[in-house]
Amino acid sequence: MTTDPTTRESKDFYRHIAQTSDNPLGLEIEQARGVWLYTRDGRKILDFISGIAVSSLGHGHPEVVRAVQEQAARHMHVMVYGEFVQRPQSALAGRLSTVLPEQLDRVYFVNSGTEANEAALKLAKKHTGRHRFLAFRNGYHGDTQGSLSVTGRDVYRRPYEPLLPEVDFHDFNSETVLESITPEVAAVILEPIQGEGGIIPADPEWLKEIRKRCTKTGSLLIFDEIQSGFGRTGKLFAFEHYGVIPDILTMAKAMGGGMPLGGLASSTDIFKAFMFDPPLNHVTTFGGHPVSCAAADTALRVLLRDGLMERAEVIEQTTRKILHGRGIELLRGKGAMLGLQLSNVETTRKAVFYCLEEHGILLGWTLHSNTLIRLAPPLVIEQELLERTLITIRDAIARYA
Ligand code: PLP
């Protein structure tokens, strides 16, 4: 579906912007406010995927916008990361330390999710002196070389091989991984709820066993909460549902309140690996940009103050109540990170396009699954609109089932 491809911007988009597929949605965005996207051709579209789990507070939250404007006026980039005391970075790190466990009381800021995972993999290697990683089929950790090396889909990895050597993949939620966590393993990396793999939550007992094995072998446990973090699942981080604390937590997406930001949290001891032998062995120019950190600090404050994590729980309950019926096989996930498993590709595709074209509801697939509809509305969506939208989605699926 494209908007009028005759506008100047649209022509430049198709002619001069490097494309990621031959079939982009191509909506021409004029403005985005709250749960709504406004297109140049006058349509008002409900963003039911939050820009892929980013806009939890809705688009253009006024307090976040103000924080961005004020910080941009105060200062933007002043120095490479880690040299100067910059108030927004310190404030955000301090606030995060009040909501994260003691073992995760230090944070390294980067610009994106994949950079957070790159840094986490390097940190695990340097801290442990090992270089073997364990990862999971259908996991997704980003598209730079390190993150791609631990991403569990051959079809994405193969064109770029050779990647990192010594990465072993296991089935998610399968016990086979446990005996592979040996003293040669630098780290096990996983999403507590696989996002792009099809919104698949980890089994709580399995996660606890992995934690035990990692502790025993000195392998680090990395949780990628880039998609599941910042309230989306009903807790600030999904690991809180499981009572399992990782050695390294990676985050991004909703973290910046709409601005680009990522980070990894770990302990002082583990982060020492980045300080010495040699110093400056992992640096970034723009990581923790002050404007992004100001936005993130405000976004986190608003998330906690407005009880949006609880709101995610209500979204799940409402969705489970309304979404059942013809064509719907299963509803998976937690909070407002949900996946609707349908019986076939055609029904999924038709229902998604029908919702967009006839009802102005933006839904999506996940990267590794084309029979799953992703549901990830902004946590601020009003209850009445939520219910109405879910009924429309249910009827759309029944129509094509
Ligand atoms: N990890 C997970 C779980 C993700 O869902 C994503 C993006 O979808 C990434 C990593 C990569 O993040 P980014 O696109 O910011 O590099």
Side-chain angles (χ1 to χ4, degrees), residues 64 67-68 71 88-89 92 110-111 255-262 286-299:
V64 175
V68 166
Q71 183 54 41
Q89 280 179 354
L92 175 58
V110 292
N111 304 284
M255 181 182 194
M259 292 291 285
L261 187 66
F286 284 126
H289 192 283
V291 176
S292 294
C293 284
D297 189 37
T298 303

Side-chain angles (χ1 to χ4, degrees), residues 52 111-115 117 140-143 191 193 195-196 224-228 250 252-253:
I52 315 290
N111 304 284
S112 66
T114 198
E115 281 175 77
N117 286 331
Y140 179 69
H141 300 292
D143 279 340
E191 301 154 85
I193 301 178
E196 298 311 308
D224 174 342
E225 293 235 29
I226 285 158
Q227 192 164 145
S228 57
T250 60
K253 285 197 178 275

Side-chain angles (χ1 to χ4, degrees), residues 126-142:
K126 186 118 189 307
H127 174 75
T128 61
R130 311 169 186 175
H131 47 261
R132 177 180 287 276
F133 291 102
L134 301 186
F136 294 91
R137 296 196 179 92
N138 287 326
Y140 179 69
H141 300 292

Side-chain angles (χ1 to χ4, degrees), residues 67 71 74-98 100 105-111 251 255 260-264 283-298 300:
Q71 183 54 41
R74 216 173 287 124
H75 70 83
M76 293 194 271
H77 176 83
V78 282
M79 183 51 165
V80 297
Y81 181 70
E83 293 295 331
F84 289 176
V85 180
Q86 300 183 46
R87 202 191 301 154
Q89 280 179 354
S90 302
L92 175 58
R95 195 184 298 280
L96 279 169
S97 76
T98 65
L100 284 173
D105 71 347
R106 240 175 229 280
V107 59
Y108 187 110
F109 291 121
V110 292
N111 304 284
M251 47 202 156
M255 181 182 194
L261 187 66
L264 55 154
V283 291
T284 163
T285 298
F286 284 126
H289 192 283
V291 176
S292 294
C293 284
D297 189 37
T298 303
L300 181 54

